[in-house]
Amino acid sequence: MRVPPDNLPATFTVSAVQSQQREGGRPYLEFLRRASMSAGLYVLEAGATDGQRPHAEDEAYYAVSGRARLTVGETEQAVEPGSFIYVPQHVPHRFHSIEERLVLLVLFAPAESGG
């Protein structure tokens, strides 16, 4: 996937990003990176374990498909298609009880640093 220079818009389709994510064989694929933000696709199969750790950036998830539960700090909630979840930086969170393959668009602001 080719991302244009910072001063030009970029358009992606979920199906194209999903294809690239499957080819890479990893649950997370970053498909856009700017200093101010990054975007990725996170896919967890039914029954999978979400091993992520808190991030140094604010994060938002949009559930494209699937069903699961999400614990953010001390709060647990259902995740289903159309769910939009905001997670503040440094707050522990994880998806669990994944009933159906979970496909999530993920936004980090600023760009995710990996820590």
Side-chain angles (χ1 to χ4, degrees), residues 28-106:
Y28 183 73
L29 171 72
E30 181 180 87
F31 61 87
L32 178 67
R33 175 171 283 272
R34 300 289 190 254
S36 61
M37 66 168 292
S38 60
L41 186 76
Y42 191 34
V43 178
L44 294 165
E45 300 297 333
T49 300
D50 178 14
Q52 68 177 310
R53 297 182 180 186
H55 307 284
E57 306 79 24
D58 287 339
E59 184 177 19
Y61 294 97
Y62 176 77
V64 175
S65 62
R67 297 196 183 285
R69 306 284 301 166
L70 172 66
T71 300
V72 178
E74 300 296 319
T75 304
E76 184 177 308
Q77 64 191 61
V79 176
E80 58 189 27
S83 295
F84 185 86
I85 304 117
Y86 165 72
V87 180
Q89 62 184 350
H90 305 296
V91 174
H93 58 286
R94 72 179 184 88
F95 293 93
H96 57 91
S97 306
I98 302 167
E99 298 173 24
E100 297 173 11
R101 184 175 194 256
L102 190 60
V103 177
L104 302 155
L105 291 175
V106 185

